[in-house]
Amino acid sequence: MQIQDSAIDAQEALIQVAGHGEHGVHGDHGDHAHPDLRTMGLITFLLSESLMFGALFAVYFVMKGRLGQWPPEGTEVELLLPALNTSVLIASSFVIHKGEEAIKKDDVAGMQMWYLITAAMGIFFLGGQVYEYTHLSYGLGTNTFSNCFYLMTGFHGLHVLIGVCMILGVWWRSRQDGHYSSVKHTGIEMAEIYWHFVDVIWIIMFSLIYVLTKLP
Amino acid sequence: MNRTTSLVLVIIAGILGTIFSFWFGLNNHLLPEQASMQAPLVDDLFNVMVVIGTALFILTEGLIVYSMIRFRQPPGDETDGADIEGNLPLEIVWTAIPAVIVIGIGVYSVEVYEDMGGLHLASPPGHMHVQQPESPGTEMAGMDSAAMAAMPPGSAMAATMSADMAKAAPVIPLPEAKEQIASSYYGIGNRLSDEADEIDLTVNVTGMQFAWLFEYPDLGITVGELHLPVGRRVRLQMKAVDVIHSFWVPQFRLKQDVIPGEETRLQFVATLPGTYPVFCAELCGSYHGSMRTQTIVHSDEDYAEWVKTSQVAAKPSKVPMTVAQLSDEEYLAPYAQEIGLNAETLPKPSTRSF
Amino acid sequence: MTQTNPRVIAQPTPPPPEIEEVPSYRMWKWYDYFTFNVDHKLIGIQYIVMGFIFYLVGGAMAIAMRTELRTPDPDFVDPSLYNALLTNHGTVMIFLWVIPTTIGGFGNYFIPLMIGARDMAFPKLNALAFWLNPPAALLLAVSFIYGGAQAGWTSYPPLSEITAPQAQVLWVAALILIGTSSIMGSLNFLVTIWKMRVPSLPLLKMPLFCWSIIAAAVIALIGTPPLTIGLLLLTFDILFGTSFYKPDAGGTVVLYQHLFWFYSHPAVYLMVLPVFGVMSEVIPVYARKPIFGYTAIAYSSLAISFVGLFVWVHHMFTSGTAPWMRMFFTVSTLLVAIPTGVKIFSWVATLWQGKIRYTSAMLFAVGLLSMFVFGGITGVTLAAVPFDLHVHDSYYIVGHFHYVLFGGSVFGIYAGVYHWFPKMTGRFLDERLGKIHFVMTFFGTHLTFLPMHNLGLSGMPRRIAMYDPQFQALNQLCTWGAYLLALSIVPFYFNVIYSWIKGKRSSGNPWNALTLEWTTDSPPMIENWEVLPVVTTGPYDYGKDRQEEVRQTD
Ligand code: HEA
Ligand code: HEA
Ligand code: CUA
Ligand SMILES: [Cu+2]
């Protein structure tokens, strides 16, 4: 697979020279170069992905509109644990950013530390969610509110899980000497962008499902 | 060919094309007879669109065919064509003219729609909380969906209990209508008189796999064919038992989906006595194609006659319970003959088996 | 590479003898086409060949349906099988034929070539996107074990939840795979076009095909996610006891229709925009004229995809649709006619004063032009609510969308294949067979789909296996037309297979076209060029005094 190989070498080469990539094709030199556009690809993907959540939110509102009482009696949500969970997730967005700052100063150890902490916080969040699921008195099929509740939080939880995997993947790679540096850390950047995305979605979801339903 | 001759030819072609478009638009006979007050309105709209469409079609196809013939490569000529990259005024014209045309069609459509009564539904759709109109015969448990869903899980028992009670004591309307979603009255309203609610005849229509059921609540008649008096304001209140169906009488030019969980309505006046087909227009299962019956538009006397005979025939058959509490067999028993349908011919799974 | 004078043209001139040899650089072997290869050209061919295979499958289903409809009674296939056939006919034709062939096939093959890139931005993602399709097809095939999905390609609940639910779940899984593939492909196209053009190629000098792919990719990125959610909820309703679409437990069936059409209306433009792009490539080359109104055509693609996002309810005019929605979506739908008209008229104006070469590609392009106008105009009549109330879900709709889909998309694919076959394989298709193919297809299409309008207007619903005897005569016409269409593919498939092996060899630029894909060999080498080309003319500068180095590459 000639292309693949050459694309990869070229990518390395380009990255050595130009840091972040995203420089377009380099005319006559670097001709066979394959620019690193992964960050841009990821952002495009996330824009599209956000519409998935957009659709879920729309479904939520439609279902809400159809019931007089929302959530119906007996399917109220807990607030304390999710609030704790939420603050951990929000905090983790700052933590992961510290990691990126660290790598920009070539501080791989620092970046590893911050990323591991982020992953731990993500896992804490997931654990909290599992705990919540197992301690609720209603299940997925109870009524339309619980349908929405489990589907939405579950779908988001899946994204958190993927995010954690990405972060751990980055961490795993970073153990290799020189894999990331201040000029070459697209993977780190991507994990961070993804994590922020997951975080923002959660803030909306938390407001919809937990906060708004608690308001009179 | 000099300029003047070609100009003259173009003008002649234009005139001929226009004449043809009008002729075709007004004489296309593509639609079946008109049997409702709405039909002529729809047909006028259609014919206008046919005129416009034919003209546009002749124009574009004419240009295409003309350039195909006129501008084919001269034998042996290997050079390129004229170097024309655009022409702003021309482009503005061919953006503006279609814009004017579609806006015209849009405005006209809205007008026709208004005249058909589309904007005059008896109660505005949306998520209003109103009472369900009572019509015990075809009330379905499904209609109580919101209330059911709102119940805490533990109250499933309560639900069965009330169902049992309903069985024990027939002809009980649904438990006091709770706050429910207005089954949004989607459909076509009544612009035919300005009092939108003035209705001469209400028929409850039920769509099920694969049959139609028409219940005349004021007359105590339930049949498998729709009988209507000519020239009267009719309202169909339509519900579906299992899946989505769609009520279509081509001669009325009216179609409305019949949706589980929502009530939809059609209001119209039949204008021409006769027998017309009623189709189901929404895919509803294997025998969707055979879900068809007739609507018979009677003169006043015939209608009175029909009511009399049917009432006699249907004496004891006021449906005693809400549909969902009956088995298919019980439910269909009174009409089995009428609609040639019994529990066996019904396909098994239905929404109730969810 | 041989360099012909760009002003001298476009008949498939007999190739100079020396090209008879196989190109010296390494070529892919046949078995490479069955591997996870990341070369965009190879992936393009994979998509196109896969598409043409599924065209046969979908077509065979159509033939079975038409045979059933020869008589009013359901005597050829069982009614539930009929429903399974029509569901899968629609699904296969749309998701495994038109979309993969136009976007996946032509898009992957030609976008990098047209913008002077060596590959797509994410080659591995690209290969992955392709390889999601065969499993999807497999799922559809497996679903027939469970009776096949039977609720139409629209699969409205509650019907889709209660008839053949296992098959329906497999159908959903197939669609989600294809949707994922389409999202991957689309973001790949956007990033590639945005970032990987040769420096000498500004956006407004790109071939119009690139613009149409941008427009299509945007649609796919916006539309697919909500569809995925809609289908996911359907699956949850079937498998896990939720009640999103179950009215007796608080759900609503109409919600699904919104989620579905929010994607699937734009999806019809997804099927036609790339084909519009093909038109913009084919017409100027054989008319030997610059495309008329480049900017207008480029922006009208974007306008169509933008307006197309706000018209979806026109498929739901008879559903639970509030009056204001009916009015709003009538008007928004009508607006689409304006940018589409701009395109149509611009193409006609491109023909005007050209020197038209009647190659098979051009015949199909002009055929498309004439058919699409008809299908578009019937579409405009559908936008008017009062009229749509009458013909919705009747054969009038079936007539409309086959005119735009078959007369539009499929004709466009044919035009593209005749145009680019020499580039992709280094060999010419036989022109005589091409013309026979065109004539049969052209008449077959009218014969099959024109009477359907009549049927619909006079009251024949769609999706029925049995109908009233009064409709029989016209139905038989349609059926004969379908048989003619079935025959029409014989010369084409024969032509393709034969010419691929034994056809006349083609030079790098047999049609004397000006877009970048013609500046390399036929078929292009791996990584496309030795040295990237420099763009010195516009893509459609025919009839201008071009310097000779226009085509320069080496
Ligand atoms: C390639 C696919 C394709 C394309 C391009 C179109 C194009 C259009 N379609 Fe079509 N459509 C389908 C595929 C397509 N459609 C399918 C598959 C369905 C059925 C789905 C199902 O239910 O299974 C459908 C159904 C469908 C409906 C729903 C009908 C119903 O179920 O009740 C409507 C209603 O508005 C509609 C409208 C239009 C319009 C206004 C256009 C416009 O974009 C057309 C614009 C083009 C022109 C107008 C012609 C050229 C313009 C000029 C010559 C300029 C001058 C013209 C005027 C001023 C009018 N289509
Ligand atoms: C791009 C899309 C596309 C294409 C190309 C076609 C092509 C054709 N379609 Fe289809 N059609 C749809 C998209 C398409 N259709 C959709 C979306 C629906 C709606 C589905 C629904 O309601 O849910 C539909 C529905 C539909 C119906 C309505 C069914 C109903 O409502 O009851 C009919 C009926 O005649 C029909 C016919 C045809 C015919 C005759 C062709 C012909 O043009 C086909 C031509 C092709 C061939 C003739 C190839 C034949 C090949 C062989 C015979 C050889 C076989 C050999 C091997 C497999 C090895 N189609
Ligand atoms: Cu009922 Cu189709
Ligand atoms: Cu549409």
PDB file of all heavy atoms in Angstrom, chain A residues 62 65-69 72-75 137-138 142-144, chain B residues 127 129 145-147 149-153 179 181 184 261-262:
ATOM      1  N   VAL A  62     -40.700  17.477  22.085  1.00  0.00           N
ATOM      2  CA  VAL A  62     -41.969  16.974  21.562  1.00  0.00           C
ATOM      3  C   VAL A  62     -42.644  16.087  22.601  1.00  0.00           C
ATOM      4  O   VAL A  62     -43.832  16.223  22.896  1.00  0.00           O
ATOM      5  CB  VAL A  62     -41.745  16.196  20.253  1.00  0.00           C
ATOM      6  CG1 VAL A  62     -43.014  15.471  19.842  1.00  0.00           C
ATOM      7  CG2 VAL A  62     -41.313  17.143  19.145  1.00  0.00           C
ATOM      8  N   GLY A  65     -43.988  18.104  25.366  1.00  0.00           N
ATOM      9  CA  GLY A  65     -45.197  18.821  24.980  1.00  0.00           C
ATOM     10  C   GLY A  65     -46.440  17.943  24.997  1.00  0.00           C
ATOM     11  O   GLY A  65     -47.551  18.432  25.123  1.00  0.00           O
ATOM     12  N   ARG A  66     -46.255  16.660  24.867  1.00  0.00           N
ATOM     13  CA  ARG A  66     -47.418  15.785  24.781  1.00  0.00           C
ATOM     14  C   ARG A  66     -47.971  15.363  26.135  1.00  0.00           C
ATOM     15  O   ARG A  66     -49.038  14.798  26.222  1.00  0.00           O
ATOM     16  CB  ARG A  66     -47.081  14.533  23.969  1.00  0.00           C
ATOM     17  CG  ARG A  66     -46.829  14.833  22.527  1.00  0.00           C
ATOM     18  CD  ARG A  66     -46.620  13.570  21.764  1.00  0.00           C
ATOM     19  NE  ARG A  66     -47.831  12.768  21.747  1.00  0.00           N
ATOM     20  CZ  ARG A  66     -48.828  12.956  20.908  1.00  0.00           C
ATOM     21  NH1 ARG A  66     -48.771  13.924  20.036  1.00  0.00           N
ATOM     22  NH2 ARG A  66     -49.883  12.179  20.941  1.00  0.00           N
ATOM     23  N   LEU A  67     -47.197  15.576  27.169  1.00  0.00           N
ATOM     24  CA  LEU A  67     -47.674  15.176  28.482  1.00  0.00           C
ATOM     25  C   LEU A  67     -48.009  16.411  29.302  1.00  0.00           C
ATOM     26  O   LEU A  67     -47.302  17.417  29.242  1.00  0.00           O
ATOM     27  CB  LEU A  67     -46.600  14.361  29.205  1.00  0.00           C
ATOM     28  CG  LEU A  67     -46.399  12.930  28.727  1.00  0.00           C
ATOM     29  CD1 LEU A  67     -45.596  12.160  29.750  1.00  0.00           C
ATOM     30  CD2 LEU A  67     -47.725  12.240  28.468  1.00  0.00           C
ATOM     31  N   GLY A  68     -49.084  16.318  30.076  1.00  0.00           N
ATOM     32  CA  GLY A  68     -49.428  17.446  30.918  1.00  0.00           C
ATOM     33  C   GLY A  68     -48.376  17.641  31.997  1.00  0.00           C
ATOM     34  O   GLY A  68     -47.949  18.742  32.289  1.00  0.00           O
ATOM     35  N   GLN A  69     -47.937  16.544  32.558  1.00  0.00           N
ATOM     36  CA  GLN A  69     -47.011  16.619  33.682  1.00  0.00           C
ATOM     37  C   GLN A  69     -45.676  16.031  33.246  1.00  0.00           C
ATOM     38  O   GLN A  69     -45.612  14.904  32.766  1.00  0.00           O
ATOM     39  CB  GLN A  69     -47.572  15.814  34.844  1.00  0.00           C
ATOM     40  CG  GLN A  69     -46.855  16.101  36.137  1.00  0.00           C
ATOM     41  CD  GLN A  69     -47.243  15.081  37.184  1.00  0.00           C
ATOM     42  OE1 GLN A  69     -48.042  14.182  36.925  1.00  0.00           O
ATOM     43  NE2 GLN A  69     -46.670  15.202  38.352  1.00  0.00           N
ATOM     44  N   PRO A  72     -43.596  12.691  34.502  1.00  0.00           N
ATOM     45  CA  PRO A  72     -44.784  12.134  35.134  1.00  0.00           C
ATOM     46  C   PRO A  72     -44.456  11.664  36.544  1.00  0.00           C
ATOM     47  O   PRO A  72     -43.305  11.353  36.846  1.00  0.00           O
ATOM     48  CB  PRO A  72     -45.135  10.933  34.250  1.00  0.00           C
ATOM     49  CG  PRO A  72     -44.421  11.156  32.979  1.00  0.00           C
ATOM     50  CD  PRO A  72     -43.199  11.944  33.301  1.00  0.00           C
ATOM     51  N   GLU A  73     -45.477  11.646  37.364  1.00  0.00           N
ATOM     52  CA  GLU A  73     -45.268  11.241  38.751  1.00  0.00           C
ATOM     53  C   GLU A  73     -44.559   9.890  38.824  1.00  0.00           C
ATOM     54  O   GLU A  73     -44.872   8.973  38.068  1.00  0.00           O
ATOM     55  CB  GLU A  73     -46.617  11.114  39.431  1.00  0.00           C
ATOM     56  CG  GLU A  73     -46.712  11.973  40.681  1.00  0.00           C
ATOM     57  CD  GLU A  73     -48.093  11.854  41.259  1.00  0.00           C
ATOM     58  OE1 GLU A  73     -48.982  12.549  40.740  1.00  0.00           O
ATOM     59  OE2 GLU A  73     -48.266  11.037  42.189  1.00  0.00           O
ATOM     60  N   GLY A  74     -43.626   9.797  39.730  1.00  0.00           N
ATOM     61  CA  GLY A  74     -42.959   8.519  39.919  1.00  0.00           C
ATOM     62  C   GLY A  74     -41.697   8.372  39.091  1.00  0.00           C
ATOM     63  O   GLY A  74     -40.947   7.427  39.269  1.00  0.00           O
ATOM     64  N   THR A  75     -41.477   9.302  38.181  1.00  0.00           N
ATOM     65  CA  THR A  75     -40.234   9.196  37.405  1.00  0.00           C
ATOM     66  C   THR A  75     -39.394  10.459  37.565  1.00  0.00           C
ATOM     67  O   THR A  75     -38.726  10.890  36.643  1.00  0.00           O
ATOM     68  CB  THR A  75     -40.514   8.945  35.920  1.00  0.00           C
ATOM     69  OG1 THR A  75     -41.516   9.856  35.483  1.00  0.00           O
ATOM     70  CG2 THR A  75     -40.969   7.533  35.659  1.00  0.00           C
ATOM     71  N   SER A 137     -35.959   4.157  40.351  1.00  0.00           N
ATOM     72  CA  SER A 137     -37.042   3.188  40.521  1.00  0.00           C
ATOM     73  C   SER A 137     -37.710   2.860  39.194  1.00  0.00           C
ATOM     74  O   SER A 137     -38.623   2.073  39.131  1.00  0.00           O
ATOM     75  CB  SER A 137     -38.081   3.755  41.484  1.00  0.00           C
ATOM     76  OG  SER A 137     -38.593   4.954  40.936  1.00  0.00           O
ATOM     77  N   TYR A 138     -37.276   3.496  38.143  1.00  0.00           N
ATOM     78  CA  TYR A 138     -37.935   3.231  36.866  1.00  0.00           C
ATOM     79  C   TYR A 138     -36.903   2.848  35.816  1.00  0.00           C
ATOM     80  O   TYR A 138     -35.715   3.126  35.961  1.00  0.00           O
ATOM     81  CB  TYR A 138     -38.719   4.454  36.403  1.00  0.00           C
ATOM     82  CG  TYR A 138     -37.939   5.747  36.451  1.00  0.00           C
ATOM     83  CD1 TYR A 138     -37.170   6.146  35.365  1.00  0.00           C
ATOM     84  CD2 TYR A 138     -37.977   6.559  37.588  1.00  0.00           C
ATOM     85  CE1 TYR A 138     -36.452   7.328  35.413  1.00  0.00           C
ATOM     86  CE2 TYR A 138     -37.257   7.726  37.643  1.00  0.00           C
ATOM     87  CZ  TYR A 138     -36.496   8.114  36.547  1.00  0.00           C
ATOM     88  OH  TYR A 138     -35.784   9.265  36.607  1.00  0.00           O
ATOM     89  N   THR A 142     -40.425   2.684  31.094  1.00  0.00           N
ATOM     90  CA  THR A 142     -41.534   3.061  31.966  1.00  0.00           C
ATOM     91  C   THR A 142     -42.515   4.044  31.324  1.00  0.00           C
ATOM     92  O   THR A 142     -43.707   3.822  31.273  1.00  0.00           O
ATOM     93  CB  THR A 142     -41.009   3.635  33.286  1.00  0.00           C
ATOM     94  OG1 THR A 142     -40.117   2.684  33.856  1.00  0.00           O
ATOM     95  CG2 THR A 142     -42.161   3.890  34.239  1.00  0.00           C
ATOM     96  N   ASN A 143     -42.019   5.165  30.893  1.00  0.00           N
ATOM     97  CA  ASN A 143     -42.882   6.102  30.171  1.00  0.00           C
ATOM     98  C   ASN A 143     -42.027   6.948  29.242  1.00  0.00           C
ATOM     99  O   ASN A 143     -40.811   6.764  29.164  1.00  0.00           O
ATOM    100  CB  ASN A 143     -43.689   6.975  31.145  1.00  0.00           C
ATOM    101  CG  ASN A 143     -42.792   7.761  32.077  1.00  0.00           C
ATOM    102  OD1 ASN A 143     -41.682   8.145  31.704  1.00  0.00           O
ATOM    103  ND2 ASN A 143     -43.250   7.986  33.287  1.00  0.00           N
ATOM    104  N   THR A 144     -42.653   7.874  28.558  1.00  0.00           N
ATOM    105  CA  THR A 144     -41.870   8.605  27.557  1.00  0.00           C
ATOM    106  C   THR A 144     -40.768   9.444  28.187  1.00  0.00           C
ATOM    107  O   THR A 144     -39.737   9.684  27.581  1.00  0.00           O
ATOM    108  CB  THR A 144     -42.761   9.508  26.690  1.00  0.00           C
ATOM    109  OG1 THR A 144     -43.667  10.197  27.532  1.00  0.00           O
ATOM    110  CG2 THR A 144     -43.509   8.679  25.670  1.00  0.00           C
TER     111      THR A 144
ATOM    112  N   HIS B 127     -50.924  22.035  20.889  1.00  0.00           N
ATOM    113  CA  HIS B 127     -50.957  21.267  22.118  1.00  0.00           C
ATOM    114  C   HIS B 127     -51.873  21.901  23.131  1.00  0.00           C
ATOM    115  O   HIS B 127     -51.484  22.252  24.217  1.00  0.00           O
ATOM    116  CB  HIS B 127     -49.543  21.105  22.655  1.00  0.00           C
ATOM    117  CG  HIS B 127     -48.687  20.360  21.693  1.00  0.00           C
ATOM    118  ND1 HIS B 127     -47.441  20.761  21.347  1.00  0.00           N
ATOM    119  CD2 HIS B 127     -48.939  19.254  20.973  1.00  0.00           C
ATOM    120  CE1 HIS B 127     -46.940  19.921  20.469  1.00  0.00           C
ATOM    121  NE2 HIS B 127     -47.834  18.994  20.225  1.00  0.00           N
ATOM    122  N   HIS B 129     -55.118  21.894  25.607  1.00  0.00           N
ATOM    123  CA  HIS B 129     -55.777  20.899  26.432  1.00  0.00           C
ATOM    124  C   HIS B 129     -57.267  21.111  26.331  1.00  0.00           C
ATOM    125  O   HIS B 129     -57.803  22.073  26.848  1.00  0.00           O
ATOM    126  CB  HIS B 129     -55.324  21.028  27.880  1.00  0.00           C
ATOM    127  CG  HIS B 129     -53.865  20.758  28.006  1.00  0.00           C
ATOM    128  ND1 HIS B 129     -53.359  19.566  28.438  1.00  0.00           N
ATOM    129  CD2 HIS B 129     -52.792  21.511  27.694  1.00  0.00           C
ATOM    130  CE1 HIS B 129     -52.053  19.596  28.422  1.00  0.00           C
ATOM    131  NE2 HIS B 129     -51.679  20.775  27.967  1.00  0.00           N
ATOM    132  N   SER B 145     -54.064   8.001  25.892  1.00  0.00           N
ATOM    133  CA  SER B 145     -52.633   7.759  26.017  1.00  0.00           C
ATOM    134  C   SER B 145     -51.970   8.659  27.042  1.00  0.00           C
ATOM    135  O   SER B 145     -51.245   8.195  27.920  1.00  0.00           O
ATOM    136  CB  SER B 145     -51.983   7.981  24.669  1.00  0.00           C
ATOM    137  OG  SER B 145     -52.276   9.293  24.259  1.00  0.00           O
ATOM    138  N   ALA B 146     -52.251   9.929  26.940  1.00  0.00           N
ATOM    139  CA  ALA B 146     -51.548  10.845  27.820  1.00  0.00           C
ATOM    140  C   ALA B 146     -51.811  10.480  29.261  1.00  0.00           C
ATOM    141  O   ALA B 146     -50.897  10.400  30.079  1.00  0.00           O
ATOM    142  CB  ALA B 146     -52.010  12.251  27.535  1.00  0.00           C
ATOM    143  N   ALA B 147     -53.056  10.208  29.536  1.00  0.00           N
ATOM    144  CA  ALA B 147     -53.396   9.885  30.902  1.00  0.00           C
ATOM    145  C   ALA B 147     -52.663   8.627  31.359  1.00  0.00           C
ATOM    146  O   ALA B 147     -52.126   8.563  32.452  1.00  0.00           O
ATOM    147  CB  ALA B 147     -54.890   9.669  31.014  1.00  0.00           C
ATOM    148  N   ALA B 149     -49.906   7.385  30.197  1.00  0.00           N
ATOM    149  CA  ALA B 149     -48.471   7.601  30.323  1.00  0.00           C
ATOM    150  C   ALA B 149     -48.163   8.374  31.593  1.00  0.00           C
ATOM    151  O   ALA B 149     -47.096   8.238  32.169  1.00  0.00           O
ATOM    152  CB  ALA B 149     -47.949   8.335  29.123  1.00  0.00           C
ATOM    153  N   ALA B 150     -49.114   9.187  31.982  1.00  0.00           N
ATOM    154  CA  ALA B 150     -48.845  10.030  33.131  1.00  0.00           C
ATOM    155  C   ALA B 150     -48.932   9.253  34.443  1.00  0.00           C
ATOM    156  O   ALA B 150     -48.571   9.738  35.488  1.00  0.00           O
ATOM    157  CB  ALA B 150     -49.826  11.195  33.160  1.00  0.00           C
ATOM    158  N   MET B 151     -49.428   8.048  34.357  1.00  0.00           N
ATOM    159  CA  MET B 151     -49.597   7.306  35.595  1.00  0.00           C
ATOM    160  C   MET B 151     -48.282   6.724  36.072  1.00  0.00           C
ATOM    161  O   MET B 151     -47.474   6.270  35.278  1.00  0.00           O
ATOM    162  CB  MET B 151     -50.602   6.175  35.388  1.00  0.00           C
ATOM    163  CG  MET B 151     -52.027   6.684  35.493  1.00  0.00           C
ATOM    164  SD  MET B 151     -53.203   5.359  35.386  1.00  0.00           S
ATOM    165  CE  MET B 151     -52.822   4.649  33.837  1.00  0.00           C
ATOM    166  N   PRO B 152     -48.101   6.706  37.360  1.00  0.00           N
ATOM    167  CA  PRO B 152     -46.883   6.093  37.886  1.00  0.00           C
ATOM    168  C   PRO B 152     -46.920   4.607  37.583  1.00  0.00           C
ATOM    169  O   PRO B 152     -47.996   4.038  37.406  1.00  0.00           O
ATOM    170  CB  PRO B 152     -46.979   6.354  39.392  1.00  0.00           C
ATOM    171  CG  PRO B 152     -48.420   6.643  39.653  1.00  0.00           C
ATOM    172  CD  PRO B 152     -48.970   7.242  38.401  1.00  0.00           C
ATOM    173  N   PRO B 153     -45.750   3.988  37.549  1.00  0.00           N
ATOM    174  CA  PRO B 153     -45.682   2.595  37.135  1.00  0.00           C
ATOM    175  C   PRO B 153     -46.581   1.702  37.965  1.00  0.00           C
ATOM    176  O   PRO B 153     -47.189   0.768  37.460  1.00  0.00           O
ATOM    177  CB  PRO B 153     -44.208   2.244  37.324  1.00  0.00           C
ATOM    178  CG  PRO B 153     -43.600   3.358  38.099  1.00  0.00           C
ATOM    179  CD  PRO B 153     -44.455   4.550  37.900  1.00  0.00           C
ATOM    180  N   GLU B 179     -57.337  15.760  31.512  1.00  0.00           N
ATOM    181  CA  GLU B 179     -56.677  16.711  30.637  1.00  0.00           C
ATOM    182  C   GLU B 179     -55.964  15.926  29.560  1.00  0.00           C
ATOM    183  O   GLU B 179     -55.157  15.065  29.839  1.00  0.00           O
ATOM    184  CB  GLU B 179     -55.646  17.496  31.438  1.00  0.00           C
ATOM    185  CG  GLU B 179     -56.142  18.839  31.834  1.00  0.00           C
ATOM    186  CD  GLU B 179     -55.009  19.827  31.949  1.00  0.00           C
ATOM    187  OE1 GLU B 179     -53.882  19.388  32.236  1.00  0.00           O
ATOM    188  OE2 GLU B 179     -55.250  21.003  31.726  1.00  0.00           O
ATOM    189  N   ILE B 181     -54.244  15.877  25.473  1.00  0.00           N
ATOM    190  CA  ILE B 181     -53.803  16.664  24.350  1.00  0.00           C
ATOM    191  C   ILE B 181     -55.004  16.786  23.440  1.00  0.00           C
ATOM    192  O   ILE B 181     -55.663  15.811  23.167  1.00  0.00           O
ATOM    193  CB  ILE B 181     -52.754  15.911  23.537  1.00  0.00           C
ATOM    194  CG1 ILE B 181     -51.789  15.201  24.428  1.00  0.00           C
ATOM    195  CG2 ILE B 181     -52.107  16.813  22.542  1.00  0.00           C
ATOM    196  CD1 ILE B 181     -51.062  16.047  25.336  1.00  0.00           C
ATOM    197  N   SER B 184     -55.106  16.918  17.877  1.00  0.00           N
ATOM    198  CA  SER B 184     -55.054  18.099  17.044  1.00  0.00           C
ATOM    199  C   SER B 184     -55.936  17.832  15.851  1.00  0.00           C
ATOM    200  O   SER B 184     -55.787  16.829  15.197  1.00  0.00           O
ATOM    201  CB  SER B 184     -53.629  18.307  16.633  1.00  0.00           C
ATOM    202  OG  SER B 184     -52.806  17.602  17.515  1.00  0.00           O
ATOM    203  N   GLY B 261     -53.813   7.684  17.584  1.00  0.00           N
ATOM    204  CA  GLY B 261     -53.466   8.631  18.633  1.00  0.00           C
ATOM    205  C   GLY B 261     -53.826  10.070  18.328  1.00  0.00           C
ATOM    206  O   GLY B 261     -53.673  10.933  19.172  1.00  0.00           O
ATOM    207  N   GLU B 262     -54.250  10.352  17.123  1.00  0.00           N
ATOM    208  CA  GLU B 262     -54.682  11.712  16.830  1.00  0.00           C
ATOM    209  C   GLU B 262     -56.027  11.616  16.135  1.00  0.00           C
ATOM    210  O   GLU B 262     -56.281  10.667  15.411  1.00  0.00           O
ATOM    211  CB  GLU B 262     -53.734  12.423  15.861  1.00  0.00           C
ATOM    212  CG  GLU B 262     -52.287  12.126  16.037  1.00  0.00           C
ATOM    213  CD  GLU B 262     -51.543  13.318  16.583  1.00  0.00           C
ATOM    214  OE1 GLU B 262     -52.105  14.419  16.535  1.00  0.00           O
ATOM    215  OE2 GLU B 262     -50.416  13.128  17.067  1.00  0.00           O
TER     216      GLU B 262
END
